[in-house]
Amino acid sequence: MTTFEDVRRLDAADPLAGFRERFSIPDGVIYLDGNSLGALPKATSGRVEAVVQREWGEDLIRAWNTHDWISAPRRLGDKVARLIGAAPDEVIAGESTSVNIFKALCAALQLAPERSVILSETGNFPTDAYMMEGLAALSGGRIRQVLVERDEIDAALTDDVAALLLTHTHYKSGRLHDMKAVTARAQALGIPVIWDLSHSAGAMPVALNDCKADFAVGCGYKYLNGGPGAPAFLFVAKRHQDQVFPVLSGWLGHARPFDFDDRYEPAAGIDRFQCGTPAILGMAALECGLDIMLEADMQAIRAKSQALGDLFINLVEDRLDGFELRSPRDASERGSQVSFAHEHGYAIMQALIERGVIGDFRAPDILRFGFTPLYVSHQDVWTAVGILADVMQSGVWQEPRFNIRSAVT
């Protein structure tokens, strides 16, 4: 049985403990939702203010050159690459995860134009499936979207599949795919794989090139702490880059964007996957989050996230009834989150949030708790479970106000 003294000893020995002071965590809040929106790095406010007041306010349009705004997508892409096991010239930052999924799907289809199926699993994050559905509709019937259960993926890898799109860490359960094994099985059949790293990048070591990955996407506002709506990223393996004509052929993907040619000529390499003008304020905020992540040891991050998740599971199961674990019990099969199911999950989560323990809810019955090792402590986990136990014992969650659904859950 874990004791409070055990928890204090774990925190005292935590090599990442110093990073907590780099984030703005409100007093009285235990933040267990960094898997949905990362906490604010303290450096971000000053950096964004400098971009607004000095770079934009004083240098105006000259800042594209004097402050090198134009290189932000590549510069940030190179920083993301270091976190996901990619080469510096294989990642571009910009747009949203949804847009980058569309780019990657279109690129994969060009690698095997005779094939017509784009494949994913049921229960994947909705935007992945929705972008597939939209692309299939746009094709006028030439492309078909197919969704299968997780244990049916191997059987569905047939010679008409043009691309397999999977989320590495499942957004709801936290269950991991074996990236290396899945990629190898698909590629043996000539099928490129697109990995959605939205719940993996910054939470654990990722080794795209070691796994010989084809494409990957991910967002900047979860474990990368880039702020709400932060720019996303797109990875394209170098071997594929010049084989693809970008379907979203925006002007910054042109070989010479400031020649203003009437016809599109794609830039060499990863630059051709740029599209619209980069969101400089969002890039500035994201870079602050990335710089903190690059200071931390990713192996230590992974070890601590596993320990926090294990502690949370053990404490909940020791102290509470009526909660069903929906994440893998084995930490090696789980991302940096833990999900429990409860029939009154939404109301319970709202009561928890009012008490300062911020997680989130995923329909129909999942209470989801994220463990961001840079600013969540073992004592936070201990205290959070104690508050959850009090919420359940007091029955406060049954109050009508906690059962009124908000627009964002």
Side-chain angles (χ1 to χ4, degrees):
M1 179 76 71
T2 303
T3 68
F4 184 65
E5 288 306 314
D6 294 331
V7 168
R8 293 185 63 183
R9 280 193 291 271
L10 289 170
D11 283 335
D14 178 11
L16 301 173
F19 282 95
R20 185 182 179 100
E21 293 303 313
R22 307 280 292 276
F23 294 88
S24 295
I25 308 293
D27 291 340
V29 167
I30 297 173
Y31 192 58
L32 303 182
D33 207 12
N35 55 308
S36 192
L37 174 65
L40 171 68
K42 290 181 178 178
T44 301
S45 299
R47 174 63 186 135
V48 172
E49 183 179 9
V51 174
V52 171
Q53 298 295 337
R54 181 166 55 85
E55 297 181 14
W56 178 16
E58 296 177 10
D59 283 2
L60 298 166
I61 200 167
R62 295 171 294 181
W64 287 103
N65 292 316
T66 59
H67 296 287
D68 202 25
W69 286 356
I70 197 66
S71 297
R74 279 293 297 270
R75 184 176 70 252
L76 271 65
D78 289 353
K79 292 183 177 186
V80 172
R82 292 163 58 187
L83 297 172
I84 60 175
D89 52 358
E90 291 182 309
V91 181
I92 200 79
E95 276 86 52
S96 68
T97 305
S98 298
V99 170
N100 287 329
I101 288 170
F102 188 86
K103 292 180 188 178
L105 285 167
C106 292
L109 285 163
Q110 290 183 49
L111 299 179
E114 74 283 359
R115 300 188 179 202
S116 61
V117 170
I118 46 180
L119 177 68
S120 190
E121 64 178 307
T122 56
N124 197 354
F125 189 75
T127 202
D128 299 60
Y130 297 168
M131 296 308 289
M132 295 171 70
E133 188 175 355
L135 178 55
L138 181 65
S139 76
R142 191 188 82 77
I143 305 301
R144 292 188 300 115
Q145 175 203 37
V146 175
L147 304 178
V148 299
E149 296 292 333
R150 185 187 185 97
D151 60 2
E152 297 173 351
I153 292 172
D154 283 356
L157 296 174
T158 59
D159 59 9
D160 60 345
V161 175
L164 172 63
L165 169 60
L166 293 174
T167 299
H168 180 231
T169 302
H170 194 274
Y171 80 102
K172 192 178 290 188
S173 69
R175 185 178 297 277
L176 295 172
H177 277 289
D178 184 332
M179 181 184 292
K180 194 165 193 174
V182 172
T183 300
R185 288 196 295 270
Q187 288 179 344
L189 299 169
I191 302 168
V193 185
I194 303 164
W195 289 103
D196 186 338
L197 303 178
S198 293
H199 287 84
S200 298
M204 66 186 71
V206 177
L208 289 177
N209 281 336
D210 182 62
C211 294
K212 297 182 172 57
D214 299 288
F215 303 93
V217 301
C219 67
Y221 50 82
K222 295 181 173 65
Y223 296 102
L224 302 182
N225 304 301
F233 63 85
L234 171 66
F235 160 86
V236 181
K238 188 178 293 186
R239 64 186 180 275
H240 296 320
Q241 291 172 3
D242 291 332
Q243 297 184 56
V244 173
F245 187 96
V247 174
L248 294 181
S249 43
W251 79 296
L252 278 186
H254 193 280
R256 297 170 305 281
F258 287 92
D259 283 1
F260 301 108
D261 290 338
D262 286 342
R263 296 190 63 82
Y264 181 81
E265 178 185 341
I270 194 65
D271 281 327
R272 69 179 52 198
F273 295 93
Q274 292 195 62
C275 188
T277 305
I280 295 301
L281 298 181
M283 291 280 187
L286 175 58
E287 192 160 20
C288 292
L290 290 173
D291 287 344
I292 292 176
M293 292 303 309
L294 289 169
E295 292 181 36
D297 180 272
M298 193 55 68
Q299 297 296 336
I301 286 175
R302 179 60 172 154
K304 184 179 176 183
S305 81
Q306 291 177 310
L308 292 171
D310 286 345
L311 176 62
F312 185 79
I313 292 169
N314 291 336
L315 291 174
V316 168
E317 293 185 338
D318 283 346
R319 300 188 61 179
L320 291 154
D321 295 319
F323 290 84
E324 179 185 349
L325 181 64
R326 291 292 179 84
S327 296
R329 190 173 298 278
D330 184 341
S332 68
E333 300 176 2
R334 187 180 69 230
S336 198
Q337 65 189 67
V338 170
S339 296
F340 277 96
H342 193 286
E343 61 177 325
H344 301 293
Y346 180 80
I348 294 167
M349 182 57 72
Q350 302 320 299
L352 267 178
I353 291 171
E354 187 178 80
R355 294 280 301 273
V357 178
I358 301 179
D360 63 20
F361 171 80
R362 290 295 177 260
D365 58 1
I366 297 295
L367 296 96
R368 190 175 68 161
F369 301 89
F371 302 100
T372 309
L374 296 189
Y375 52 78
V376 174
S377 68
H378 298 83
Q379 188 170 332
D380 286 335
V381 172
W382 176 278
T383 303
V385 175
I387 293 173
L388 175 58
D390 185 67
V391 163
M392 298 310 296
Q393 290 163 10
S394 69
V396 65
W397 60 268
Q398 298 178 69
E399 294 181 14
R401 61 196 176 101
F402 292 131
N403 288 270
I404 300 172
R405 293 288 181 103
S406 299
V408 176
T409 63

